[in-house]
Amino acid sequence: MKKVLNMFLKGLSFLGIFILMAVITLYSVLLLICYGPSTKARNIFVTTFLETGALKFVVNLVLPSEKIQEVVNSNSLKEMEDEVNSELIDISKASDEIEIHEVSGSNFYATMMIIHDPARVTVATTYPFTEYGKTLDQIVKENDAIAGINGGIYQSTGNKGGYPMGVVVSNGKIVWNSPYGVGYHLVGFDENNILKILSINGMSTAQVEKLVEEEKIRDAVTFQEEASDANNHFVKLIVNGEKRESNGLGSGANPRTAIGQREDGAVLLLVTDGRGASGHLGATANDLIKVMEDYGAVNAANIDGGSSSTMYYKDEYLMTSVTLYYSNSSWRLPEAFIVSK
């Protein structure tokens, strides 16, 4: 019995030493990244980790808050106040065609879906909302649709995904109205099938109702424009053919979901990988802008990304969650952009 106890204690000691060495090695690597010769490596590390839901604290372990803010400021997007000009979009030649394109960047892989008839792109929800949302394939199938991508910002803690954040409009009806968040923007389509990107920052529920009525919004979700060291979200990418200007990379590198519209009205749905998937960190804001520009976007917006980024088409996932456990599914969602058959 004593011999067994000694072996157990030796094994426990070995495990403890191994864990300690692993922690020291990891911390040394982080210090090398942040204080080594490569400024780009440090910037990517800081901005990327700050955009995660659970790993923001890692940055604070190795850098002071002043330096973190300095990195964020040097890799951010400049403000863009322009509003969408509907007259630049002509949907008179819309067709039923759907195209699927593979896109590769320096540190990401993506799928671009082009829907030639914008009227087919709507917002489906799990309303009436409960604690748990549904996976993207469930939402697509339950609405007899052919495709879908994840939608706006939502309460994703614990992968419950039952409740949206901000404002959600589906089939002309506001199904969630809680605009009390920093930098909220409404992203979606009006009754004329024009993609709109509208700031609702500081609005009350009554003001949102008025905006939705005046702009004739039929389907929309919310994403957040926020560039502090706690949260580096961004929304507008291209407005009226003008690219958003940036400092440095514009953002960190992460999985992304974006939506855009071409001059002919065709809708561009883009989902990228990242966070180690296939060895990729993900796409930066500048990456999204370039891809959307290459595919002819007149207007484009970034929407919810990270582990939520996913694309479903014809009964299979073209892009899936970066979380290993959900690698052939998606996180639970309260709403999604879907494409009708």
Side-chain angles (χ1 to χ4, degrees), residues 125-322:
T125 77
T126 59
Y127 181 84
F129 302 108
T130 59
E131 184 178 7
Y132 290 93
K134 296 180 179 179
T135 57
L136 181 60
D137 59 299
Q138 289 177 310
I139 295 175
V140 169
K141 290 175 182 177
E142 289 179 5
N143 287 275
D144 194 29
I146 192 172
I149 60 170
N150 60 293
I153 192 171
Y154 67 102
Q155 297 178 26
S156 59
T157 304
N159 190 28
K160 292 182 178 180
Y163 297 103
M165 295 171 67
V167 176
V168 180
V169 183
S170 181
N171 194 30
K173 178 182 178 183
I174 299 175
V175 295
W176 188 266
N177 193 356
S178 181
Y180 309 111
V182 177
Y184 277 174
H185 281 67
L186 201 59
V187 181
F189 297 89
D190 65 15
E191 293 178 357
N192 295 316
N193 302 317
I194 305 298
L195 179 67
K196 292 294 185 71
I197 310 167
L198 302 168
S199 173
I200 55 173
N201 189 47
M203 286 190 178
S204 65
T205 55
Q207 289 172 320
V208 167
E209 291 173 359
K210 182 179 180 182
L211 177 71
V212 169
E213 181 181 2
E214 290 178 347
E215 295 287 339
K216 296 181 171 55
I217 302 298
R218 63 164 173 81
D219 291 277
V221 301
T222 297
F223 200 54
Q224 188 177 35
E225 182 78 34
E226 169 64 52
S228 71
D229 61 353
N231 208 344
N232 195 16
H233 287 156
F234 52 95
V235 181
K236 291 180 179 179
L237 300 172
I238 300 173
V239 177
N240 302 329
E242 295 295 324
K243 298 184 297 183
R244 188 169 182 177
E245 296 182 3
S246 65
N247 298 309
L249 299 170
S251 74
N254 269 297
R256 307 284 184 191
T257 302
I259 185 169
Q261 189 170 38
R262 300 190 318 202
E263 183 180 7
D264 63 357
V267 177
L268 307 173
L269 303 180
L270 178 70
V271 176
T272 83
D273 67 0
R275 295 187 184 172
S278 302
H280 299 148
L281 280 176
T284 66
N286 286 349
D287 290 328
L288 291 186
I289 291 170
K290 184 179 186 307
V291 173
M292 282 295 183
E293 181 186 32
D294 289 346
Y295 278 84
V298 174
N299 299 296
N302 178 51
I303 50 178
D304 197 26
S307 297
S308 302
S309 287
T310 186
M311 178 183 288
Y312 189 77
Y313 179 59
K314 288 187 175 179
D315 299 322
E316 67 174 321
Y317 280 94
L318 301 185
M319 301 295 295
T320 59
S321 168
V322 296

Side-chain angles (χ1 to χ4, degrees), residues 11-139:
L12 196 61
S13 299
F14 176 79
L15 179 61
I17 293 172
F18 175 80
I19 293 174
L20 178 61
M21 292 302 296
V23 170
I24 292 174
T25 301
L26 178 59
Y27 191 68
S28 299
V29 170
L30 295 180
L31 289 174
L32 180 62
I33 291 173
C34 291
Y35 295 97
S38 177
T39 301
K40 182 177 180 180
R42 181 199 64 192
N43 292 348
I44 284 284
F45 164 73
V46 171
T47 53
T48 297
F49 270 76
L50 288 177
E51 291 177 354
T52 65
L55 297 176
K56 293 179 175 64
F57 73 94
V58 174
V59 178
N60 293 283
L61 295 177
V62 288
L63 284 173
S65 57
E66 297 81 6
K67 176 58 70 173
I68 293 172
Q69 191 61 55
E70 179 184 322
V71 172
V72 171
N73 291 342
S74 63
N75 291 275
S76 59
L77 291 164
K78 298 181 180 180
E79 290 188 12
M80 192 177 205
E81 302 295 338
D82 296 3
E83 300 295 336
V84 170
N85 180 359
S86 301
E87 295 181 359
L88 299 178
I89 308 297
D90 179 8
I91 63 172
S92 61
K93 296 182 180 179
S95 71
D96 292 334
E97 184 180 3
I98 294 178
E99 301 177 42
I100 303 294
H101 297 268
E102 295 181 353
V103 181
S104 293
S106 59
N107 210 13
F108 69 92
Y109 169 81
T111 300
M112 171 71 80
M113 182 184 299
I114 305 175
I115 300 92
H116 286 249
D117 182 0
R120 297 176 66 181
V121 183
T122 60
V123 171
T125 77
T126 59
Y127 181 84
F129 302 108
T130 59
E131 184 178 7
Y132 290 93
K134 296 180 179 179
T135 57
L136 181 60
D137 59 299
Q138 289 177 310
I139 295 175

